[in-house]
Structure formats: structure tokens, C-alpha cells
Amino acid sequence: MTRLLSVALLLAAAAAGQAPSPVERQPNIVLVLCDDMGFSDLGCYGGEVDTPTLDRLAAEGARFTQFYNNAKCTTTRASIVTGRYPRRGKGGLLHGDMATVGEVLRGAGYRTVLSGKWHLGHGAETHPHRRGFDEFYGLLDGCCNFFDPARPDPDYKGGRVRRFGRNDERIEEFPEGYYTTDAFTDHAIECIERFAREDAPFFLHVCYTAPHYPLHAKPDDIARYRGRYAEGWDALRAQRYERQQEIGLLDPATWPLSRGDSRAYDWEDADQDFEDHRMAVYAAMIDSMDRNIGRLMRSLEEAGVAEDTLVLFLSDNGGCAEEPGGRDPDQRRPGPVDDYVAVGPAWGWAQNAPFRRYKSWVHEGGITTPLIAWWPGRIEAGTWNREPAHIIDLLPTFAELADADAPVEIDGRSMVGLLTEGTREPHAELAWEWAGNRALRQGDWKVVWDRTVKAWELYDLSRDRTETRDLAREHPERVAALSAAWFRWAERTGLPAKQRRTDTDR
């Protein structure tokens, strides 16, 4: 069992570099996180994007159907790093009195690496190299130019230069032919090769910025997808939904395809060539990421450590409906270094088929992520795991695997049993909030507050996983009980009072 210590004692142990007690060798852990990718984008989740590496890992491991994130980049990353629900207020999402997963595992003798996006700060208490990661290379901000991270954002995105670095050094120049997805992988492989020679396990957290906007991909990759999206988002959702049934992901009786989105627009009225183009770039970004994950897997095999390594892959939130710079094809050009296009709300919605909504909303489309878990000999191959779990569970899971001292101040629970046996005692409740959108799940019942609707909705996820039938009027007492539980959670986790108020309080 995982040992529990106060944060102060844990941080002291990590700083002192104390070795773990003699146990069977702990596994290496590789946690791959991508950015703004939809639930159904991968081939193994019903998508049409070519993802042979992730499809292979899914076939040789397990796929989760009810794994949750926090609907937004920063809050998801904070929960992964701390094992806690986001704590809001002054000082950001990461504070000095919170232990990080890097500190927990380094205190247990692991070498620790973060390659890619951090997005939790760059001060004394928030820089990854000072918060438990022996090696850091990547982006300290939320997004950047893929070909030249030193290039300023366009004016419509604020015009600032993003912060990029290695360990404590800032990097402000990038070579010709640079591409972040490749560079993050290069750094990760360098660390695998170095640490595999040492007599210690390693924790590698690879945080790709793909497929977050700006839509940047190499021309040859884009060309393979041009024309694949010429039928539009409604056709894409229908095709994915059919494949999801074929591969056994869902039962249409309990996962009906959700219909319509308030921010989507008609395909017939859209500039269809432009829309196909920007979705093709998005797909090319995922394709490139999958090939780079293939490079990671080969490096594990060549180093002779693959059999001793747990590999997890997930996304930080659902597909993204944001659209900085708009969709005027006379002004926006998806793909090259000199523009900053996003996919927009209609594609962002389609990427989460069969669910409703997307990033920033806490309907299932915003908070459900594909999760692939691969661990030879420990995770049964070709399985679907249909138990609910949450990113707050990752830190305690890794702590148990490492026989590490975990902080008591965490909200997550180990999912080692879920990985190796397929089951565990579920959370009594799970809850979410972002930008006025709220949700809480108890068992199979879930209440949702959509900030544009401004009323509690109620869903029975055992019969309606895609939230198509609002039962709030039929069960007002249940709505009252679950919404009251949400307010207790919000107060307990430090959500500011103004974000806890209801419309009647204003």
C-alpha cells in the first residue's frame, strides 16, 4: 500500500534524495499527454486519423471509456501534477505546500523528466525544474508556434512571445526545420537512453502541444488528409459513431449520438474547402504525434526497458471550439508558420462524437478523454475498461507502483487495481468547474450546469451516457441533493465565492 506523509516531510525527503526501501524494482512510468484532442479522433476510438502506434498500444493494452479530465489545459495539468482537484485563488494552481508527482517519485528514487508543455508557471515555486523534475525541456506557457516558438503571437492573440526553456535556461532561438512535436520527442528519447543505463527507474511525462492551435503541420502530412473532411462535421460524427459501434466501444441503446450544438453552423453555408483544409491540418498534427510516440516506443524497446514500463496516453480536455482570428479564408491560412488558425466550434464539437460540447464545458464532451494503458504482462491485452476514473487518480497510482511516500492532501485514489485487475471501489463522487460550467457525478447520476442555459440538468449515465435526456423535472429532489453536493465540493476545494454563486444570488 502507498504510504502517506505530510507534504512537508515528503518535500524534505525528495530534496534529500532519499532512496526507496528495498522492494522489487519499481516500473518505469511514461505518461503521454496531448492537448485539445477529441474523444473520437484516434483510430482505436472510432476516428479516421491514421494512428497505428496508439492503435497498437490499445490492442496490446486497455482502453478506458469513462476516464475524466478537468475540461481545460491548466486545471487538468494541476490535477495530474498534484493528485488534487484544482485549488483556485491567489498564486495560481500550484503552490509551494503542494507536493508534485515529480517530487513524490524522485523521493522514491526515480529519475524524473518533463518534455513538452507545463503551463503551471515559471517562478521559484512553480517551475518544473524546481518542482521535482530532474530534466525539463519545453513550453512553460499554454501554446506557441510549432515551427518557431520564439515567434510572437499574432495581434489578435495578444502579440506576446511565449516562454520556452530547458531546465532553468530560457531558449529564444530555434533552428531551421524545427517542429515542437519532434523536438519534445527528441528530448524524451535522449533521457530514456541516458536513464535506462542507470540502476534506477524513471518517470517520463511527455506533454505534446499537438493538436492545440495554432494549426501547424508539415506540408506532406497535410496533403495526406486533404479531401478527407469534404463531407463536413455531421457526416464525420455519423461515420465515427458507426465505427465506435463496430469496435465495441459503445452500445447505441445507452450511448445515443447527441444531436446539434448551439455554436455549430451549417456545412452547406460554410467555405467547405477552407473547412476541409483546417481539419486536415488538425489530423496531420495527430498523425505526426502518433509517429513520434512510435519513436518513443522504439527507444524503450532498444534500451531494453519496454517490458518494465507502464505507458499511459490521454488528452487534457475535449476537442476545442475556440477560434482566435476567426474563419475568414481570405485572412486565415491553416498550416504554415505565419498564421494561427484553429478548427472552430463545429469541428471541435465533432471531434468529441458521440458526446455533447467540448473544451471548457463539463458535459461529457469536455471532460471525457481517451485513455490507453499499456504494460506487458500486467494489463490484459485488447480490453475495454468501463469503470469511471479521474486524472486526480494518477499521482496516487504512480505512488503505489513506486512504493513511494504520497502526500495525505490528495483527492485521488490509486487505480492500480483498475489497471491490473479491471476493477476497484469507485469514487463516491466526482466534480468539475470551469468558467461557470459545473458538474457533479454520484454513481451513474450526474448534474450539469451549463453557463449558457443557467439551470441544473440531470442525467442517468447508465442509460444515457451522451446526455441527451434531461431528467431534472422528473427528479427535482435528486437535483437538489446533487447540486448541494456540488456547492460543498466547490467550497471545500477553494473555488472563489463569486464562482459559487447562483444566478439568483447576483
Side-chain angles (χ1 to χ4, degrees):
M1 293 294 294
T2 304
R3 299 186 299 273
L4 300 178
L5 289 182
S6 70
V7 171
L9 289 175
L10 177 63
L11 297 182
Q18 292 177 359
S21 57
V23 294
E24 183 181 353
R25 178 183 168 88
Q26 307 104 312
N28 304 309
I29 300 168
V30 176
L31 176 63
V32 182
L33 180 69
C34 71
D35 203 345
D36 285 12
M37 191 193 76
F39 178 76
S40 59
D41 285 325
L42 303 178
C44 54
Y45 276 81
E48 70 296 321
V49 183
D50 297 326
T51 54
T53 300
L54 290 168
D55 295 351
R56 177 178 70 85
L57 294 181
E60 296 175 358
R63 282 168 283 183
F64 284 66
T65 65
Q66 296 198 80
F67 197 80
Y68 289 112
N69 53 46
N70 284 338
K72 191 70 174 180
C73 302
T74 49
T75 49
T76 286
R77 290 160 205 279
S79 287
I80 288 174
V81 166
T82 66
R84 307 175 76 178
Y85 285 116
R87 262 56 178 184
R88 318 296 173 80
K90 293 182 179 180
L93 292 164
L94 181 60
H95 298 263
D97 62 351
M98 297 177 179
T100 72
V101 64
E103 290 160 341
V104 169
L105 295 182
R106 190 163 70 178
Y110 275 67
R111 301 302 304 270
T112 55
V113 183
L114 193 143
S115 300
K117 174 176 169 177
W118 173 243
H119 206 188
L120 292 174
H122 49 79
E125 292 187 345
T126 58
H127 193 291
H129 191 49
R130 299 168 204 164
R131 293 307 311 269
F133 289 94
D134 298 318
E135 275 284 339
F136 164 72
Y137 171 82
L139 176 67
L140 291 158
D141 285 313
C143 61
C144 68
N145 193 299
F146 280 69
F147 296 107
D148 183 4
R151 189 183 182 103
D153 292 345
D155 291 342
Y156 57 77
K157 188 59 182 172
R160 65 191 177 104
V161 175
R162 304 296 182 140
R163 186 177 290 266
F164 206 98
R166 179 160 189 169
N167 297 335
D168 286 325
E169 177 186 357
R170 185 164 184 175
I171 301 174
E172 300 180 281
E173 293 185 4
F174 297 86
E176 189 75 22
Y178 186 89
Y179 189 64
T180 52
T181 306
D182 299 336
F184 298 155
T185 308
D186 290 343
H187 176 255
I189 290 173
E190 173 192 320
C191 292
I192 288 171
E193 292 173 346
R194 175 153 46 104
F195 294 154
R197 294 192 294 267
E198 300 181 6
D199 188 23
F202 58 82
F203 170 63
L204 171 60
H205 191 13
V206 184
C207 301
Y208 291 113
T209 45
H212 192 296
Y213 64 77
L215 296 178
H216 284 164
K218 300 170 186 177
D220 288 347
D221 291 343
I222 298 170
R224 289 200 299 276
Y225 289 93
R226 282 294 260 140
R228 198 176 296 195
Y229 299 97
E231 296 181 84
W233 34 80
D234 291 314
L236 181 74
R237 295 183 82 242
Q239 292 159 7
R240 290 186 176 189
Y241 186 60
E242 183 176 350
R243 285 193 294 270
Q244 288 170 333
Q245 296 173 61
E246 292 171 356
I247 64 177
L249 190 161
L250 59 82
D251 178 352
T254 53
W255 291 56
L257 180 63
S258 62
R259 301 290 181 182
D261 183 82
S262 61
R263 301 175 67 199
Y265 43 97
D266 291 335
W267 176 253
E268 290 73 18
D269 299 330
D271 187 304
Q272 295 180 7
D273 183 69
F274 173 77
E275 296 290 356
D276 170 77
H277 189 183
R278 61 176 174 169
M279 188 61 187
V281 180
Y282 173 90
M285 297 167 76
I286 295 174
D287 185 313
S288 174
M289 177 182 67
D290 184 84
R291 296 199 309 272
N292 273 282
I293 295 171
R295 293 174 57 211
L296 276 179
M297 296 305 299
R298 286 192 294 276
S299 73
L300 292 172
E301 292 159 6
E302 290 167 1
V305 297
E307 298 295 313
D308 299 320
T309 302
L310 167 65
V311 178
L312 298 172
F313 172 88
L314 72 159
S315 179
D316 63 350
N317 44 249
C320 179
E322 298 166 16
E323 200 170 32
R327 67 178 78 110
D328 183 350
D330 292 331
Q331 299 183 44
R332 301 277 71 82
R333 291 195 309 134
V337 65
D338 58 355
D339 209 349
Y340 210 95
V341 182
V343 292
W347 287 126
W349 163 59
Q351 291 157 9
N352 299 318
F355 296 127
R356 294 174 58 188
R357 291 300 199 186
Y358 23 65
K359 175 183 178 179
S360 297
W361 267 259
V362 292
H363 287 86
E364 296 291 285
I367 59 177
T368 307
T369 174
L371 174 69
I372 298 170
W374 181 90
W375 192 7
R378 304 294 183 92
I379 294 175
E380 185 178 352
T383 54
W384 291 100
N385 191 302
R386 304 186 187 277
E387 300 293 318
H390 192 284
I391 51 173
I392 56 176
D393 298 331
L394 293 175
L395 186 151
T397 300
F398 300 157
E400 180 174 345
L401 292 173
D403 192 34
D405 294 324
V408 294
E409 302 90 346
I410 55 175
D411 301 305
R413 298 173 53 243
S414 174
M415 48 188 282
V416 170
L418 269 183
L419 295 172
T420 60
E421 300 170 19
T423 188
R424 69 162 184 189
E425 186 69 24
H427 285 275
E429 66 180 33
L430 294 168
W432 298 266
E433 191 279 340
W434 179 261
N437 296 313
R438 309 164 178 171
L440 181 133
R441 175 173 176 167
Q442 285 184 359
D444 288 320
W445 289 97
K446 180 185 174 188
V447 286
V448 183
W449 178 282
D450 185 320
R451 69 183 187 227
T452 64
V453 177
K454 299 181 179 178
W456 286 106
E457 305 163 13
L458 176 69
Y459 300 100
D460 178 356
L461 299 183
S462 68
R463 300 182 178 185
D464 179 24
R465 179 68 202 289
T466 51
E467 300 167 312
T468 63
R469 299 185 295 277
D470 180 7
L471 304 176
R473 290 191 177 184
E474 298 175 37
H475 302 281
E477 288 130 0
R478 191 178 292 275
V479 172
L482 294 182
S483 61
W486 182 88
F487 282 103
R488 290 192 296 271
W489 169 85
E491 183 174 8
R492 186 171 67 250
T493 57
L495 193 67
K498 66 180 181 179
Q499 291 169 256
R500 301 199 306 266
R501 290 185 307 210
T502 64
D503 286 332
T504 57
D505 294 329
R506 295 173 184 172

